[in-house]
Amino acid sequence: MSIIGGGDLPRIEVVADGDAVGHRGAEIVAGTVAAKPEAVLAVPTGSTPLPMFAELVAWVRQGRLDLSRVHLFTLDEYVGMRPDRQNSLTGWLIREFLDPAGIDPSRRHLIPATADDIDRAAAAYEAELAALGGLDLAVVGLGPNGHVAYNEPGADVASRTRVVRLTPDSIEQAAGYWPGEDPVPSHAITMGVATLLEARQIVLIVAGAAKSKILRRALLDPPGEAVPASWLQRAGDRLMVIADEAAARELPESVRAAG
Ligand code: PGA
């Protein structure tokens, strides 16, 4: 494993493979919860976090970790999607992580995707998070088009929880996971870039060669709307990047090997 960091720079850890990314992610979640059992967390959906969830659930079952008191805020959901629908991101997260990890239903804060007045509900979601002191730890994934949560290209650094139009790239990505015949919705509700940037720690988890070019841009391009994940650089040393060898292969040696 190589590490760079210190000062105001993100820490970048390069590990062997996707399972190792999951293991390190799980260690960071567990460390946060050990220090603060009522920590306020956000975790991503997608294939990248699955090894992290498996590890955390195993530790809970072994009695080594107690996640029953954490507050969990979800990052994003398709507009109009109820959690009991098969393509719901919320429903997926409940099945894959929240239920098996024993996260108390009263401490699950589900992004409001079906509210009648969704803009108002989005503001209330932000207020609910602020009332708990904001995120202690946001674990996020990196979309193939540079999205973070569903902050798509064009997302402003000051954005808050809101409805966004999905890009054709993201619709295609979602369709890859999509059972059934309903089309992928055109809009999602997502936590904003500013909301994420306020987290006390942000961990970006990235695995696979398909993410190598966009990871390079997220970390080395000047922060900007073209690659929303690049805004995370603004978090300085509150950002930790955990990438596997394949995802890190486009990073210059000076970045990968230092430290
Ligand atoms: P993935 O999704 O983990 O399935 O690659 C990441 C994302 O789109 O945020």
Side-chain angles (χ1 to χ4, degrees), residues 80-166:
M81 189 70 82
R82 290 198 321 265
D84 60 354
R85 300 272 300 279
Q86 66 175 349
N87 292 317
S88 164
L89 296 173
T90 309
W92 181 91
L93 192 63
I94 290 171
R95 288 191 302 278
E96 293 292 335
F97 183 54
L98 306 188
D99 277 351
I103 293 176
D104 185 338
S106 72
R107 290 164 180 260
R108 300 173 186 180
H109 306 263
L110 307 180
I111 200 163
T114 58
D116 289 335
D117 185 342
I118 200 159
D119 293 340
R120 199 164 147 182
Y125 193 63
E126 287 275 339
E128 196 176 317
L129 176 58
L132 286 167
L135 291 167
D136 291 298
L137 173 64
V139 183
V140 292
L142 176 63
N145 67 350
H147 68 217
V148 57
Y150 259 140
N151 293 286
E152 295 277 48
D156 193 86
V157 68
S159 56
R160 293 281 166 184
T161 301
R162 71 204 182 289
V163 171
V164 297
R165 175 181 283 280
L166 296 177

Side-chain angles (χ1 to χ4, degrees), residues 44-49 76 140-144 147-150 173 177 205 207 211:
T45 54
S47 52
T48 312
D76 48 16
V140 292
L142 176 63
H147 68 217
V148 57
Y150 259 140
Q173 181 198 8
Y177 294 106
I205 54 172
K211 299 279 177 70

Side-chain angles (χ1 to χ4, degrees), residues 232-259:
L232 299 180
Q233 295 173 35
R234 293 268 174 93
D237 62 4
R238 290 179 295 114
L239 172 63
M240 173 181 283
V241 181
I242 307 171
D244 71 355
E245 290 284 352
R249 72 183 187 186
E250 300 275 339
L251 299 180
E253 214 37 51
S254 57
V255 171
R256 289 181 36 111

